């Protein structure tokens, strides 16, 4: 079983900037979201023995993973490059509105990614995320919390559930929910609303 988590809200998320491989810190809301996800996982997992937390090495995901790990009794966090977000190349860090104005077709049919003129392609992201998925132990032995990003998390869920590229791109990317990947299916579990 894999519990897949997206990092909490960042300053760039709030500003509607494309993050890609550049980083920005979690906002106060993002810290609260990570705490809520950690509490939800603590309730779902109950006994953390044998569980692993694997995170993208980008700061926003690693910070979220550290908060989640604290709620799970201080499990160590493993960093894995293959879980990184899609890079937009020279567009990393730019405001989404600016990029849309300059290149109206950038976000394509799904409204998100993979039609950019620079950066990683869907195939490149799918290859590295798929490589991570293929490296895991067989399903009955999997006990993993994975902390990733919006686009790479969509691709991971899509690969796991055998979705098309377009179906993968149309999935939600909440920062206050956990996805359970088990037996070839993907289920969403929402956190309690934050006060």
């Amino acid at each position: 079983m894999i519990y897949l988590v997206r990092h909490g809200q960042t300053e760039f998320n709030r500003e509607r900037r494309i993050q890609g491989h550049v980083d920005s810190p979690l906002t106060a809301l993002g810290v609260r979201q990570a705490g809520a996800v950690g509490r939800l996982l603590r309730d779902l997992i109950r006994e953390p023995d044998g569980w692993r937390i694997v995170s993208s090495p980008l700061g926003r995901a690693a910070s979220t993973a550290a908060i989640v790990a604290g709620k799970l009794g201080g499990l160590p966090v493993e960093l894995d490059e293959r879980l990184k977000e899609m890079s937009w190349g020279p567009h990393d860090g730019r405001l989404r509105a600016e990029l849309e104005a300059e290149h109206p077709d950038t976000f394509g049919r799904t409204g998100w990614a993979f039609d950019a003129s620079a950066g990683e392609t869907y195939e490149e992201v799918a290859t590295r995320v798929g490589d991570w998925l293929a490296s895991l132990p067989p399903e009955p032995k999997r006990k993993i919390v994975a902390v990733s990003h919006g686009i790479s998390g969509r691709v991971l869920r899509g690969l796991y559930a055998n979705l098309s590229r377009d179906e993968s791109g149309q999935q939600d990317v909440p920062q206050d929910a956990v996805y359970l990947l088990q037996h070839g299916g993907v289920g969403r579990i929402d956190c309690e609303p934050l006060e």
Side-chain angles (χ1 to χ4, degrees), residues 22-143:
V22 299
D23 225 338
S24 69
L26 296 179
T27 62
L29 173 59
V31 170
R32 290 196 316 275
Q33 288 169 331
V37 164
R39 288 187 298 277
L40 174 61
L41 287 168
R42 182 185 61 212
D43 292 345
L44 292 169
I45 292 171
R46 299 197 185 269
E47 180 51 56
D49 285 349
W51 281 83
R52 296 170 50 207
I53 300 177
V54 184
S55 175
S56 157
L58 295 173
R60 58 197 184 266
S63 294
T64 299
I67 294 167
V68 168
K71 302 296 182 192
L72 294 175
L75 288 175
V77 175
E78 304 168 34
L79 302 179
D80 196 307
E81 293 281 328
R82 296 171 292 183
L83 293 176
K84 282 171 47 171
E85 182 60 295
M86 182 189 104
S87 174
W88 292 77
H91 302 304
D92 283 357
R94 295 195 57 205
L95 287 169
R96 182 181 167 108
E98 291 174 351
L99 191 54
E100 285 176 317
E102 291 173 21
H103 306 283
D105 296 331
T106 291
F107 297 98
R109 294 182 310 277
T110 64
W112 258 106
F114 307 124
D115 294 316
S117 60
E120 288 183 285
T121 65
Y122 171 85
E123 291 74 21
E124 290 168 328
V125 176
T127 295
R128 68 176 160 80
V129 170
D131 182 62
W132 178 79
L133 194 56
S135 74
L136 301 179
E139 191 143 337
K141 297 180 181 180
R142 283 185 198 158
K143 294 169 89 173

Side-chain angles (χ1 to χ4, degrees), residues 1-29:
M1 119 179 5
I2 301 169
Y3 285 114
L4 178 63
V5 175
R6 181 182 177 201
H7 62 78
Q9 183 195 61
T10 66
E11 294 291 342
F12 278 16
N13 290 148
R14 188 166 49 194
E15 296 170 4
R16 295 191 39 81
R17 284 188 186 276
I18 295 168
Q19 293 186 103
H21 287 183
V22 299
D23 225 338
S24 69
L26 296 179
T27 62
L29 173 59

